[in-house]
Amino acid sequence: MPDTSRQTLPHVHDVVIIGAGPCGLAVAARLREKAPGAIFTDEEHRRHRFLHRYGRSMPLKQVRNGRVTCCGRPTASDTQDLDITALDATHDDWCGRWNKLFKCYNIEYLRSPMFWHVSPVDRDALLGYAYSQNRENELLEIHHCVGKEVSKHMRKRTRTQKCSAHSACNARVEINERDRIDYFNPSQALFSDHCRAVASRYHLCDGVVKKESVQDISFDVVQGISVNNEPLFTVTTDRGPQYARTVVLSVGPANQPSIPRHAFKAFSATESLPQACHSTQIETFPDAVVRTRMTNGQRTKVLVIGGGLTSAQLSDLAIRKGVTKVWHLMRSPIAIKTFDVELSWMSKYRNLEQAYFYSADTDEERLQMVRAARGGGSIPPRYHKKLKDHISRGRLELRTETKLVNAQFVTTEAGGRWKVETEPAIEGIPSFDFIYFATGIETDVAALPYLQTMRETHPIDEMGGLPCLTEQLKWKDDVPLFVTGRLASLRLGAAGPNLGGARTGAERIALAIQEHFEECKREDRISGDIAAADKDENEWERFVLGRGSKYSCLVEH
Ligand SMILES: Cc1cc2nc3c(=O)[nH]c(=O)nc-3n(C[C@H](O)[C@H](O)[C@H](O)COP(=O)(O)OP(=O)(O)OC[C@H]3O[C@@H](n4cnc5c(N)ncnc54)[C@H](O)[C@@H]3O)c2cc1C
């Protein structure tokens, strides 16, 4: 007979992070940081309930003088020792998918400013890292941003009304000259090295990230593993189950990429399309088919569909890689925006929009605010200029407010090509060697296969495809499944899907996880005291009944 008593029980992690992108790294790093920097101001603290709850356990930045007031009691002391593991579907390292996409699209600079990063130390950690490594030459100034919002009308009003520094007209200036230093784009190499430095500083490198794709999450008492009927998470991956007391979901846009399939009438919804793919599925750029034709000296034509930065990057890259002509179709008019979100959501301290967002009465209102702030896809001025240059040299044909309505794959002796029809129709549009869809990803929590069990056993409200989480970014008050990144947009605001939401999400989650484990400890202590009291009572009873010794009642526990 095998000695079953010697079999080891499966390990139960304190925290399992699903998704090792920037948001997952920000949570892991924040859980290990003893002295996090202030990311909220005292004004925000006064105004918002979720901050009120933790006001004493986090440093706050005073609005008037910028001084940071430290917390009354030590911060997050217990979370540094937590056993953390991260599971990622595509890589066994932090930000693997991020790095792969940047390399694939040949992107040199991020779109976001310097204070959007993953370090919990302080707001200027990335800037500090750039200077400490003598890499300030890897920062690219963002033009038309600082001071832009001071219109001629406002300047005239300021002159005529002699507004003082604290008057209402100045309050409308979103990005102060003093913050100019923040409005630079870091290079991808710098950002990526900074992420690596953060992971290394918090001992999150060796073996913390495992390449496993999550297929199901459930939360219940696990027979043979739970102690004292403690409910645990069973995270089922393609490699088997992992058990955890708390789970953080940081899966980015999460869903499958969306391709407008209605245009491909000859193909069923599940059939794969030849010589066409979504931007997130690109392995090499341009595709091998296009490269072979280029090497054979054939004229090549590529169709790019989409209105966001990725579409512009792909058009630009295709031309730089030698594709003869690129056609770029956009459903809407071209939107030129420096960032994914409006500038008013980005400023460093006066985050008025964020305050309106936190104070909104309903999730519907919040959803509308997020949608209004993000709009559809947009292209920063730097890339718009590149597109205009390609257009003037005849390498690019850009058609806005044009939809792809039909695409037929035609095979000739020269190989397969796409014959397309658009609305409005474009006369003389050629056949294409390849179609790239930079059409984004529609996030819908209801369509995520690995959340179906949680949605059935612990249902919560959903709005616009997003879960209505608690203010602590928890699934439900009694379910310690935390969510960050795009799926948490109804709580984090318009910058939630970007790096802008990474630190805010991490801060809220770390504080809630700390509270969760403190609560568990308190409960353990109480049940320990009750057990000890029961034992005392039993010993006393045994003595009174003449079965036990009086001295055993006196033993100290
Ligand atoms: C080309 C490109 C450039 C961008 N540039 C910027 C920029 O400059 N600034 C900015 O703020 N934002 C930028 N963004 C937006 C960017 O996606 C986010 O800022 C950032 O990636 C969000 O991080 P995240 O961790 O939430 O998601 P992601 O980076 O998408 O990470 C999610 C991770 O979850 C994993 N995952 C998903 N499902 C599962 C599963 N079932 N099991 C296990 N793992 C899973 C994925 O493999 C992935 O590694 C850019 C996006 C793209 C595509």
Side-chain angles (χ1 to χ4, degrees):
M1 284 272 288
D3 181 3
T4 47
S5 63
R6 298 183 121 231
Q7 278 176 5
T8 50
L9 285 176
H11 181 69
V12 180
H13 300 284
D14 290 325
V15 185
V16 163
I17 297 174
I18 303 174
C23 288
L25 175 58
V27 172
R30 173 59 185 82
L31 283 169
R32 293 261 165 97
E33 173 56 56
K34 211 194 289 186
I39 64 165
F40 300 110
T41 61
D42 53 353
E43 196 167 83
E44 282 170 313
H45 168 233
R46 269 199 301 277
R47 207 176 292 180
H48 304 296
R49 253 186 317 140
F50 69 90
L51 289 173
H52 208 85
R53 184 170 180 160
Y54 302 114
R56 285 209 253 153
S57 57
M58 65 164 82
L60 296 168
K61 190 153 197 153
Q62 289 182 23
V63 169
R64 282 208 195 134
N65 53 18
R67 215 179 304 138
V68 175
T69 39
C70 284
C71 39
R73 60 189 163 105
T75 51
S77 52
D78 289 335
T79 61
Q80 297 152 60
D81 304 323
L82 292 179
D83 157 27
I84 302 171
T85 201
L87 308 173
D88 195 278
T90 57
H91 291 80
D92 59 2
D93 199 4
W94 295 103
C95 302
R97 200 175 116 88
W98 166 284
N99 290 333
K100 185 187 161 196
L101 286 179
F102 270 70
K103 189 170 171 211
C104 181
Y105 303 165
N106 206 348
I107 306 173
E108 278 181 83
Y109 290 93
L110 268 68
R111 186 179 189 174
S112 43
M114 295 304 289
F115 55 93
W116 278 17
H117 57 78
V118 299
S119 171
V121 174
D122 72 69
R123 278 182 195 256
D124 301 325
L126 178 57
L127 194 63
Y129 180 76
Y131 281 94
S132 71
Q133 304 291 310
N134 294 324
R135 290 172 71 174
E136 56 271 31
N137 57 342
E138 290 185 41
L139 313 182
L140 186 72
E141 185 165 4
I142 309 171
H143 295 291
H144 316 294
C145 176
V146 178
K148 166 185 164 262
E149 61 290 333
V150 190
S151 65
K152 227 196 283 177
H153 166 73
M154 284 257 286
R155 245 181 271 141
K156 199 167 154 202
R157 230 178 86 191
T158 315
R159 265 203 312 272
T160 51
Q161 295 184 354
K162 293 201 171 53
C163 292
S164 72
H166 300 290
S167 69
C169 10
N170 273 322
R172 289 178 60 190
V173 177
E174 282 144 6
I175 298 174
N176 196 298
E177 266 304 313
R178 273 178 304 177
D179 296 331
R180 183 176 285 278
I181 187 85
D182 287 324
Y183 289 88
F184 283 79
N185 297 129
S187 74
Q188 153 63 3
L190 179 73
F191 180 79
S192 172
D193 288 348
H194 182 238
C195 286
R196 216 164 292 131
V198 169
S200 151
R201 177 187 169 126
Y202 296 105
H203 310 289
L204 293 166
C205 292
D206 296 329
V208 173
V209 184
K210 297 184 181 71
K211 190 178 165 196
E212 294 187 33
S213 173
V214 172
Q215 293 165 347
D216 188 47
I217 307 170
S218 60
F219 183 62
D220 208 342
V221 174
V222 185
Q223 291 305 324
I225 298 176
S226 292
V227 177
N228 293 336
N229 285 336
E230 179 194 17
L232 295 174
F233 285 99
T234 306
V235 179
T236 310
T237 75
D238 50 352
R239 297 190 151 208
Q242 299 265 6
Y243 300 97
R245 294 192 174 86
T246 59
V247 167
V248 179
L249 198 62
S250 54
V251 286
N255 293 77
Q256 288 303 313
S258 35
I259 286 181
R261 298 287 300 212
H262 57 85
F264 299 88
K265 298 186 179 76
F267 295 83
S268 72
T270 50
E271 223 174 324
S272 67
L273 303 174
Q275 289 168 226
C277 78
H278 190 270
S279 56
T280 54
Q281 295 161 337
I282 297 172
E283 287 300 326
T284 50
F285 192 89
D287 191 83
V289 176
V290 182
R291 271 186 293 142
T292 313
R293 289 177 191 182
M294 276 161 49
T295 331
N296 294 342
Q298 285 176 263
R299 288 174 62 79
T300 46
K301 289 167 210 88
V302 158
L303 177 63
V304 176
I305 297 175
L309 172 56
T310 304
S311 68
Q313 281 162 339
L314 292 184
S315 290
D316 171 55
L317 186 61
I319 292 166
R320 283 195 285 127
K321 292 253 176 169
V323 171
T324 318
K325 182 125 185 181
V326 174
W327 282 69
H328 188 153
L329 303 187
M330 283 181 198
R331 215 170 32 168
S332 331
I334 191 164
I336 316 292
K337 246 165 56 175
T338 307
F339 307 107
D340 277 331
V341 292
E342 294 293 344
L343 214 56
S344 51
W345 283 81
M346 315 261 312
S347 72
K348 208 170 173 185
Y349 303 120
R350 296 186 198 173
N351 214 333
L352 199 63
E353 295 294 337
Q354 199 82 19
Y356 287 142
F357 178 81
Y358 291 151
S359 321
D361 293 329
T362 62
D363 281 332
E364 205 173 339
E365 248 181 88
R366 287 194 190 93
L367 182 67
Q368 293 317 324
M369 284 184 188
V370 170
R371 285 188 175 157
R374 293 190 73 84
S378 63
I379 295 175
R382 188 156 49 92
Y383 268 92
H384 185 224
K385 188 170 174 297
K386 287 186 189 194
L387 295 188
K388 282 198 296 190
D389 287 349
H390 293 312
I391 293 170
S392 66
R393 278 189 278 111
R395 301 286 303 278
L396 176 70
E397 201 68 50
L398 174 68
R399 296 297 165 103
T400 58
E401 296 174 83
T402 305
K403 278 190 235 160
L404 177 73
V405 287
N406 195 14
Q408 252 182 301
F409 192 67
V410 183
T411 318
T412 60
E413 275 173 19
R417 285 200 169 78
W418 286 102
K419 216 167 161 290
V420 301
E421 285 168 38
T422 59
E423 195 184 282
I426 304 172
E427 219 174 288
I429 189 165
S431 297
F432 293 100
D433 299 282
F434 209 93
I435 306 181
Y436 288 103
F437 293 93
T439 40
I441 295 179
E442 199 70 50
T443 296
D444 181 9
V445 69
L448 289 176
Y450 49 87
L451 281 182
Q452 296 314 312
T453 308
M454 288 306 294
R455 290 179 69 245
E456 274 164 29
T457 56
H458 301 87
I460 58 169
D461 288 340
E462 290 159 15
M463 175 72 58
L466 301 169
C468 301
L469 306 165
T470 71
E471 286 184 341
Q472 294 179 304
L473 307 187
K474 231 186 206 182
W475 190 258
K476 252 181 171 181
D477 276 333
D478 54 350
V479 182
L481 166 63
F482 298 90
V483 184
T484 182
R486 192 193 288 198
L487 280 171
S489 295
L490 288 179
R491 294 293 168 270
L492 291 176
N498 292 86
L499 296 175
R503 290 181 67 223
T504 323
E507 185 67 31
R508 285 209 221 172
I509 291 174
L511 290 165
I513 288 181
Q514 181 192 355
E515 192 179 85
H516 174 81
F517 282 105
E518 275 172 5
E519 184 65 27
C520 289
K521 263 195 203 159
R522 226 181 347 259
E523 277 170 18
D524 283 353
R525 231 176 286 135
I526 291 168
S527 59
D529 287 350
I530 291 169
D534 280 354
K535 191 156 183 280
D536 279 352
E537 210 171 270
N538 290 345
E539 292 296 343
W540 180 250
E541 217 171 87
R542 281 162 58 78
F543 163 64
V544 171
L545 292 173
R547 278 193 266 128
S549 146
K550 186 176 180 182
Y551 294 102
S552 53
C553 310
L554 305 174
V555 173
E556 261 186 50
H557 297 285

